Amino acid sequence: MHREHPMAVLPAGYEAAGRATAVAHPNIALVKYWGKRDEGLILPVTSSLSMTLDVFPTTTSVRLVDGSGPDQVTLNGAPATGEALRRITAFLDLVRERCGRDLRAVVDSRNTVPTGAGLASSASGFAALAMAAAAAYGLDCDAAGLSRLARRGSGSASRSVFGGFAQWHAGTGTGPEGDESSYAEAVPAARLDVALVIAVVNAGPKAVSSREAMRRTVDTSPLYGPWAASSRDDLADMRAALVRGDLRAVGEIAERNALGMHATMLAARPAVRYLSPATVTVLDRVSELRERGVAAYVTMDAGPNVKVLCHRAQAEQVARAVREAAPGGTVLVAGPGPGARLLGEDG
Ligand code: PMV
């Protein structure tokens, strides 16, 4: 059975400790976030719904230091540079602005997910950074506030604040109204006992960032509007299917939503194509499994890797079939995981 995970909130009356460490896990969307209505505030066109995983955690510590130099950021043991450093510094600026303190930060972040391979390292990364930075700077926020903050780092990070299943509400309007109304919250799915079989067919960085691919799709794809409209129906159907604990419906909705999202990108000008021949081989194998009566359904993000949703009891059987189909890749089984949390001094 899927267990409810405690909500991620900073303890009441939490004092700014000046240093904090948080851990967060990636999430995989079953109804996708694809397209922004406000680039600056990261407000999505549609609401989305995901499952947080119990694999590939990111652990991030933030320590405040005096002085006026730049923030010092280390990612997996190496100094951050370029776009990664710029995004993290901009995020810390936002936290500093909100709490009215301008201390610099020393950030150390380690993740175990292949960065940039469509496995959402930015989701666990910014959820962990949001929680650690909020605690270190003493920013007073509840779970929704933390989700809203994480959203500013990376949209999908808003959902990794929560364990199990989470819905990110698109919210309404732009500017402060949009910002206030766009956050994630936990979705109950107590009767669903699922696994996601993850087939990493290519762990290298992607050619087009999800940010750029989304922008291009919204701006140029004639299929974007119809997908966004159908995604609203998918979300309502998905919520009902989760409440019923109906894996077949959950899987069918997730698969059609993801394939539709990739169709919008293929129709962008120029096209964005993340799916590789190995991806398609895995998709064929999952169709065969289904013909043999195994409830297995695919979803793919901004990369060639495939995640297969199935009953937990059949996950090893599905993993074996996928391994055979993608012999050069890595296949592992994930379950629903916990929300972001702070670690104590002893880790
Ligand atoms: O949060 P970003 O910018 O990494 O975008 C993630 C988009 C998808 O992973 C493709 C879909 C989703 O909802 O997570």
Side-chain angles (χ1 to χ4, degrees), residues 29 31-34 48 122 154-156 159 210 214 261 301-302:
V31 176
K32 304 292 184 188
Y33 149 52
W34 194 251
S48 55
S122 64
S154 177
S156 54
R159 300 182 308 232
S210 58
M214 261 183 223
M261 176 186 78
D301 294 288

Side-chain angles (χ1 to χ4, degrees), residues 134-157:
Y137 280 97
L139 199 63
D140 187 19
C141 55
D142 60 8
L146 195 60
S147 171
R148 221 180 268 123
L149 178 64
R151 189 199 80 225
R152 299 290 295 275
S154 177
S156 54

Side-chain angles (χ1 to χ4, degrees), residues 133-321:
Y137 280 97
L139 199 63
D140 187 19
C141 55
D142 60 8
L146 195 60
S147 171
R148 221 180 268 123
L149 178 64
R151 189 199 80 225
R152 299 290 295 275
S154 177
S156 54
S158 64
R159 300 182 308 232
S160 274
V161 166
F162 299 94
F165 294 86
Q167 178 177 337
W168 172 16
H169 303 283
T172 51
T174 51
E177 182 201 341
D179 183 34
E180 195 54 32
S181 58
S182 188
Y183 55 88
E185 63 188 4
V187 170
R191 289 164 54 204
L192 212 55
D193 195 13
V194 292
L196 264 186
V197 173
I198 302 175
V200 182
V201 299
N202 181 346
K206 53 197 167 210
V208 186
S209 70
S210 58
R211 211 159 258 222
E212 161 58 20
M214 261 183 223
R215 189 180 301 139
R216 198 187 298 171
T217 304
V218 173
D219 290 350
T220 71
S221 174
L223 302 191
Y224 183 70
W227 174 80
S230 69
S231 198
R232 293 186 180 100
D233 296 336
D234 287 347
L235 187 79
D237 294 350
M238 179 64 83
R239 291 218 42 151
L242 285 172
V243 168
R244 293 198 307 276
D246 182 347
L247 174 66
R248 191 174 147 181
V250 168
E252 284 177 2
I253 299 160
E255 189 167 307
R256 76 185 184 215
N257 186 270
L259 289 170
M261 176 186 78
H262 282 275
T264 67
M265 308 180 210
L266 287 168
R269 298 161 190 185
V272 180
R273 182 173 63 83
Y274 288 120
L275 312 185
S276 71
T279 313
V280 178
T281 305
V282 174
L283 300 196
D284 280 349
R285 182 54 64 97
V286 173
S287 298
E288 277 167 35
L289 279 171
R290 228 152 47 208
E291 278 159 24
R292 299 207 323 257
V294 179
Y297 304 88
V298 299
T299 185
M300 292 86 64
D301 294 288
N305 303 317
V306 185
K307 298 95 185 183
V308 188
L309 187 72
C310 61
H311 285 296
R312 193 191 288 267
Q314 292 182 314
E316 283 310 324
Q317 180 190 353
V318 171
R320 263 197 311 279

